[in-house]
Amino acid sequence: MNQDQQPKPETTLAMGRRRFINTAALVGLGGVAACTDKPSSTTAPAASAPAASERGGASSVHLKPGELDTYYGLWSGGHTGDVRVLGLPSGREITRIPCFVPDALVGWGITNESKKIMGTKADGSLRYTIGDTHHVHASYKDGNYDGRYAWVNDKINSRIARIRLDYFVCDKITELPNVQGFHGIFPDKRDPVDEKINYTTRVFCGGEFSIPLPNAPIDDHTQYRSLFTCVDAETMNVRWQVLIDGNCDLTATSYDGKLAATNQYNTEMGARFADMMSAERDACLFFNIARIEAAVKAGQFKTIGASKVPVVDGTQAANKDPKTALTAYVSVPKNPHGVNASPDGKYFICAGKLSPTGTVIELAKVLDWFDGKLEKLDSVIVAEVELGLGPLHTAFDGRGNAYTTLFLDSQVVKWNVDAAIKFHAGDKSAKYVLDRIDVHYQPGHINGSQSETVAADGKWLCVGSKFSKDRFLPVGPLHPENEQIIDMSGDKMVLLADHPVRGEPHDFIIFKRELLSPKQVYNLDDFPNAVKDPKESGVFRTGKKVHVKMTSLAPSFSLTEFKLKKGDEVTLTLTNLDKIQDLAHGLAIPNYNINFIVNPLETASVSFIADKPGVFWIYCTHFCHALHLEMRSRMIVEA
Ligand code: K7E
Ligand code: CUA
Ligand code: CA
């Protein structure tokens, strides 16, 4: 990197040498991660852990045998392409929900039902077998989670998956048209148009990478653009998109349903690393949802390429008049990362990343600007205060405090939002930084129990530390990450536990277990292809097409043997007639690459060509009974 690619030193605010991280510091980031992290001498010493009795707060993460956690956590799985379910405060991983990537345990990507959700090519094989989930968020009602759905992004192939929170399964996946690098995602919290609808009806998706629209081999990157996408929460169809300047990173929504925002780190629209960090300030881009929906309704849109999705113009040039603007580009310091909504509904907070600052934006003022009541858009910023090096994401405790991860400092900083606003307004006696704690190491996302809801309860704080280095037994070169649990209930944060996780979770949410009532058993009638009675079992042939219908009831399959002919095009449907909670069966066919699970009263099917003659012992893979090993069926494929 040559000298003139270095960002210019900050001159507007006198915040000392920690004001900005320059290019050289970022290049040296690997070194930061590899060295032994000591608290920076310029930051306050981390709290040493007082005894639980002194804290009087959430305290212990330990559960006695048989005790249950009091919170659910939904964690994105990163490039394992799944969503993980943790119990909090124990931090125990309870299950994984496969979404974008096949899963050998349950047969996700093996059964016809899951393949249909994942998407297939003309030959019936999966369209994609990889994914990269970053952000998982759940549906809202009255500002709190309502237990219906969660959504997660796939950054690699620009897909959004929905998870049903009654069964903890992915039930729909939608690919966003003309989007690459779909990153931030957030459901709205109520309807901006119909005041009576107080629950999630839309999910907003940010496109991070700019590309030619429609995509074509165009070298001139100044012609590339990004889109911000709205997906219907129920149908999962794409409702509309907004063409923007710059890019989208993370996404946030207001509690009144009126605003969504994305932080932008590449307002430069650079195609190279150094270009993306050449400007001193980037933006937090606001979307006026009601106006966008009105523009779509009024037909003020175009379409791109083969996509029929309405695309409205959200570029700066087209949105100069506040009274008609669909978008507002609020200038915030250098390559900001997260944008998070405070639980009181008043503020969005943008973390600075390459600036050591947190920016507080007052949402009422953003609405004033859209109403033509605020002269300067810049005055929506009510605080821009120094927090530490590499601020990324922010959580809340419901008591007016924010907790921001400092990637480069390997710390979490607790700060008071009102005090920060006072400080920014000129009251230099306002102490807004309340505490700092070392985490291990290089934290990315952070979240508190119920953090981005009106019911933020300030008990548990989890931090996704990207590097674990020396915290766990060495297992070769690829280290786990470290999900750390902090007691945030007292004045001082107290680090309570380290948990290794397989790479690599990003964002997560933590909410009270009472908000969900998961079902233990499926409903037979929900499956149109259910084999409802063992008497319906058998081999049904129409020429080469063969349908094998089976049921399971511990410890046997309804067919003890069946015959096929080589070359048969087989669909095998299995209904589990066991009605008891926890009584799942697996069905594996050796040499046919087939294994899947059927839960109580669930039906699943697989299709394959019987191309290998011989005897194949279909067997149950899921321990179900004392005679589990005997639970078999004989598939004889005649030559
Ligand atoms: Cu900060 Cu993709 Cu949410 Cu990871 S992003 S950390
Ligand atoms: Cu059925 Cu094991
Ligand atoms: Ca930038």
Side-chain angles (χ1 to χ4, degrees), residues 264-268 275-279 281-282 334-335:
Q264 304 194 291
Y265 65 78
N266 191 14
T267 52
E268 302 92 338
D275 299 331
M276 296 182 202
M277 42 196 286
S278 59
R281 295 180 79 92
D282 287 288
K334 209 167 175 83
N335 288 41

Side-chain angles (χ1 to χ4, degrees), residues 305-590:
S307 165
K308 293 198 171 62
V309 173
V311 180
V312 300
D313 190 347
T315 57
Q316 277 174 289
N319 292 277
K320 288 203 170 117
D321 179 3
K323 288 206 163 156
T324 56
L326 309 179
T327 53
Y329 293 73
V330 176
S331 167
V332 301
K334 209 167 175 83
N335 288 41
H337 193 44
V339 52
N340 294 93
S342 64
D344 59 11
K346 288 191 198 159
Y347 308 110
F348 280 5
I349 288 169
C350 262
K353 192 167 78 183
L354 298 198
S355 153
T357 51
T359 301
V360 182
I361 298 170
E362 190 175 334
L363 301 184
K365 294 195 171 179
V366 176
L367 291 173
D368 282 349
W369 182 83
F370 277 119
D371 287 344
K373 290 190 235 156
L374 195 73
E375 208 182 306
K376 287 181 78 183
L377 182 56
D378 282 354
S379 45
V380 302
I381 293 177
V382 291
E384 195 178 302
V385 291
E386 191 165 5
L387 298 174
L389 287 186
L392 292 186
H393 296 284
T394 299
F396 304 93
D397 62 7
R399 300 185 292 269
N401 303 312
Y403 300 74
T404 301
T405 47
L406 303 173
F407 185 81
L408 295 179
D409 278 340
S410 278
Q411 288 188 330
V412 172
V413 56
K414 172 182 178 179
W415 54 290
N416 183 274
V417 178
D418 282 341
I421 293 169
K422 283 196 189 110
F423 183 89
H424 184 78
D427 178 1
K428 298 302 167 200
S429 70
K431 263 188 78 75
Y432 58 90
V433 171
L434 303 179
D435 192 22
R436 292 179 191 274
I437 190 169
D438 289 338
V439 293
H440 313 84
Y441 305 89
Q442 269 74 46
H445 274 281
I446 185 169
N447 225 333
S449 41
Q450 295 279 151
S451 177
E452 274 181 280
T453 72
V454 294
D457 67 7
K459 289 202 170 119
W460 305 102
L461 195 61
C462 288
V463 181
S465 297
K466 292 292 177 192
F467 293 78
S468 64
K469 293 191 283 187
D470 49 5
R471 302 294 279 195
F472 305 110
L473 287 175
V475 287
L478 183 61
H479 292 232
E481 295 182 22
N482 188 5
E483 303 296 296
Q484 296 190 290
I485 302 172
I486 290 169
D487 177 354
M488 71 193 299
S489 62
D491 290 340
K492 291 267 169 204
M493 293 176 278
V494 181
L495 183 61
L496 297 177
D498 283 7
H499 287 279
V501 284
R502 190 154 185 250
E504 68 150 305
H506 292 253
D507 202 3
F508 46 87
I509 56 171
I510 302 160
F511 55 90
K512 290 211 166 115
R513 70 178 185 202
E514 295 81 39
L515 294 173
L516 292 194
S517 37
K519 296 194 160 78
Q520 302 284 313
V521 172
Y522 277 95
N523 181 351
L524 204 56
D525 298 326
D526 286 346
F527 300 90
N529 58 342
V531 186
K532 293 191 176 175
D533 190 306
K535 289 195 210 99
E536 295 172 23
S537 308
V539 177
F540 303 87
R541 175 179 291 277
T542 326
K544 268 176 140 1
K545 291 210 187 317
V546 179
H547 194 172
V548 180
K549 297 184 184 179
M550 282 171 84
T551 60
S552 58
L553 195 61
S556 60
F557 292 114
S558 58
L559 297 177
T560 49
E561 60 269 310
F562 61 92
K563 283 188 178 156
L564 301 171
K565 293 195 180 68
K566 189 182 173 204
D568 280 350
E569 296 162 21
V570 186
T571 293
L572 185 154
T573 303
L574 176 67
T575 297
N576 183 5
L577 293 178
D578 276 304
K579 315 178 170 57
I580 310 165
Q581 130 182 1
D582 205 5
L583 219 177
H585 300 284
L587 183 148
I589 312 180

